[in-house]
Amino acid sequence: MDSEQHRRYQTSMVSTYYPEASFLDSLVMPDGTDPPGSDILTRLHSGEVFIVNSRRRNGLILFKRYHAEFAGPGAAVGGDYDCDCQRALPIGNLSLLTPESNEERQKAYLIRRQWIRLIKQITENPVPGQRVQKILDQFEQYFPPDIVALLPDVAFALLVGVLPQTVGMVRRLGSEVNSRFNY
């Protein structure tokens, strides 16, 4: 009986110690505004599958409970795959298309997987500052730097598994971060 009470005590301590806090609650754009995307989120939760238009430089950062995913041009979004999406941040002039055939839908899912694999390769680097620099470089190769500069630190942090403060440091100091701080 003593050990049973002890276990209950530990469980309640853990649940109190780790509150349901999320970076998403503090997601704001660098200019202080709320990010766009609530109507996009409604579309994603509708159960329909969409494809990010592959003829435009656009994409979506999809915020899940503990991480974020990037769906770039040609990628499938919505359906059962993104029913757990809590927020969506459009990048560029977002255009979502409805797949016209099963083959088009399958191709879009394969492209989504390729985007996930790209981010996975970046996150395999054990040095947080280097992960941030790599994701910033990737986004700046594809999107104009002024658009990338508008994206909040927490978006990149959740994409590559670092703290938002690390993203802020890398953005301010650039590649000097890795030479100053050896993680």
Side-chain angles (χ1 to χ4, degrees):
M1 187 164 139
D2 245 357
S3 63
E4 190 176 309
Q5 286 179 339
H6 184 64
R7 262 190 246 129
R8 280 191 208 144
Y9 176 71
Q10 285 179 330
T11 304
S12 66
M13 277 183 54
V14 170
S15 64
T16 306
Y17 187 71
Y18 297 104
E20 288 291 323
S22 173
F23 285 125
L24 297 181
D25 297 335
S26 62
L27 181 62
V28 289
M29 302 302 281
D31 61 2
T33 61
D34 285 332
S38 60
D39 55 334
I40 295 167
L41 192 58
T42 303
R43 290 180 74 186
L44 293 177
H45 287 163
S46 72
E48 256 187 281
V49 174
F50 300 97
I51 299 174
V52 178
N53 192 340
S54 60
R55 297 177 189 252
R56 293 189 185 181
R57 288 191 177 245
N58 66 147
L60 266 176
I61 296 179
L62 303 164
F63 296 93
K64 308 290 179 108
R65 186 167 182 184
Y66 297 110
H67 72 286
E69 296 175 10
F70 177 69
V77 294
D80 291 337
Y81 198 70
D82 293 316
C83 62
D84 62 339
C85 187
Q86 295 180 347
R87 288 211 184 179
L89 180 61
I91 304 172
N93 188 10
L94 182 68
S95 170
L96 296 178
L97 309 172
T98 304
E100 295 178 10
S101 67
N102 236 5
E103 292 78 26
E104 197 174 83
R105 181 188 303 235
Q106 286 177 342
K107 182 181 174 190
Y109 276 119
L110 289 174
I111 292 172
R112 172 79 179 263
R113 227 170 62 187
Q114 288 175 339
W115 285 109
I116 290 171
R117 283 185 180 154
L118 173 68
I119 303 296
K120 180 185 177 288
Q121 287 175 348
I122 294 170
T123 59
E124 287 174 345
N125 187 328
V127 182
Q130 289 176 4
R131 290 198 306 261
V132 172
Q133 190 61 58
K134 184 69 175 172
I135 193 73
L136 290 172
D137 291 345
Q138 288 290 324
F139 269 72
E140 287 175 352
Q141 281 180 7
Y142 198 74
F143 298 107
D146 56 326
I147 288 179
V148 177
L150 290 175
L151 297 175
D153 291 349
V154 69
F156 292 112
L158 289 170
L159 281 169
V160 295
V162 299
L163 294 171
Q165 295 88 333
T166 305
V167 177
M169 277 194 321
V170 171
R171 280 180 151 175
R172 280 191 308 279
L173 302 174
S175 58
E176 295 174 29
V177 166
N178 294 325
S179 61
R180 287 188 183 187
F181 305 103
N182 190 5
Y183 293 97

